[in-house]
Amino acid sequence: PNRPQAGKRMHHNMSPTILLKSQTPFAALGLPGGTKIITVTAQLIVNLIDFHATPKQAVFAPRVHSEGEGPIAVSGSMPQDVVDELTKMGHVVERGQSVGGPPNEVAGPANVVTSANHQLDAASSASADAAKVIEIPSSG
């Protein structure tokens, strides 16, 4: 769907993001996913800030994407009662996606790195084994 060809406009929504706390970087995140990048980036940020999620919790949390009049796309891990409630409200809900990325997920694999107390914590939804904790040597 995003292949270059004559007369076609590419979807290009890159949004690598660095979050600051008191003027100091505390998280960096990003993901592939075309038009879904914007909504999923916002959800990752909400998970980190509002729900105090770890990087692993943030990248594996259920995702939602809605665009125009189309159906609402939700992760396969979205609880069924949430899907049922959306359907009762009149929405068409689809689990997973039909274009690119993991088939049971919304958008591509997300990556998050946080920094706190001289430690980096990282996770990627591309692999449950991708998270690593790295200690940063103290400068003092």
Side-chain angles (χ1 to χ4, degrees):
N2 215 19
R3 186 180 65 207
Q5 62 188 125
K8 188 174 177 185
R9 187 172 189 158
M10 298 278 294
H11 288 284
H12 192 70
N13 296 325
M14 291 176 38
S15 65
T17 303
I18 297 175
L19 304 176
L20 303 176
K21 182 176 186 178
S22 301
Q23 304 300 314
T24 302
F26 84 91
L29 54 103
L31 70 148
T35 59
K36 295 176 180 77
I37 291 173
I38 305 303
T39 54
V40 174
T41 296
Q43 290 168 69
L44 291 169
I45 293 169
V46 166
N47 288 336
L48 291 170
I49 294 173
D50 295 334
F51 298 115
H52 308 285
T54 66
K56 187 173 182 178
Q57 291 167 330
V59 300
F60 286 104
R63 304 177 190 170
V64 177
H65 177 77
S66 179
E67 190 172 333
E69 298 294 321
I72 294 177
V74 300
S75 298
S77 60
M78 182 66 66
Q80 185 60 44
D81 60 332
V82 173
V83 173
D84 292 343
E85 191 64 31
L86 288 168
T87 303
K88 285 179 195 173
M89 296 169 78
H91 297 287
V92 175
V93 180
E94 292 180 354
R95 285 196 181 268
Q97 60 192 348
S98 58
V99 179
N104 206 25
E105 189 51 89
V106 173
N111 303 283
V112 173
V113 178
T114 59
S115 174
N117 302 320
H118 299 286
Q119 283 195 338
L120 296 178
D121 189 4
S124 172
S125 60
S127 169
D129 298 330
K132 299 286 181 202
V133 176
I134 305 163
E135 186 171 337
I136 303 170
S138 176
S139 60

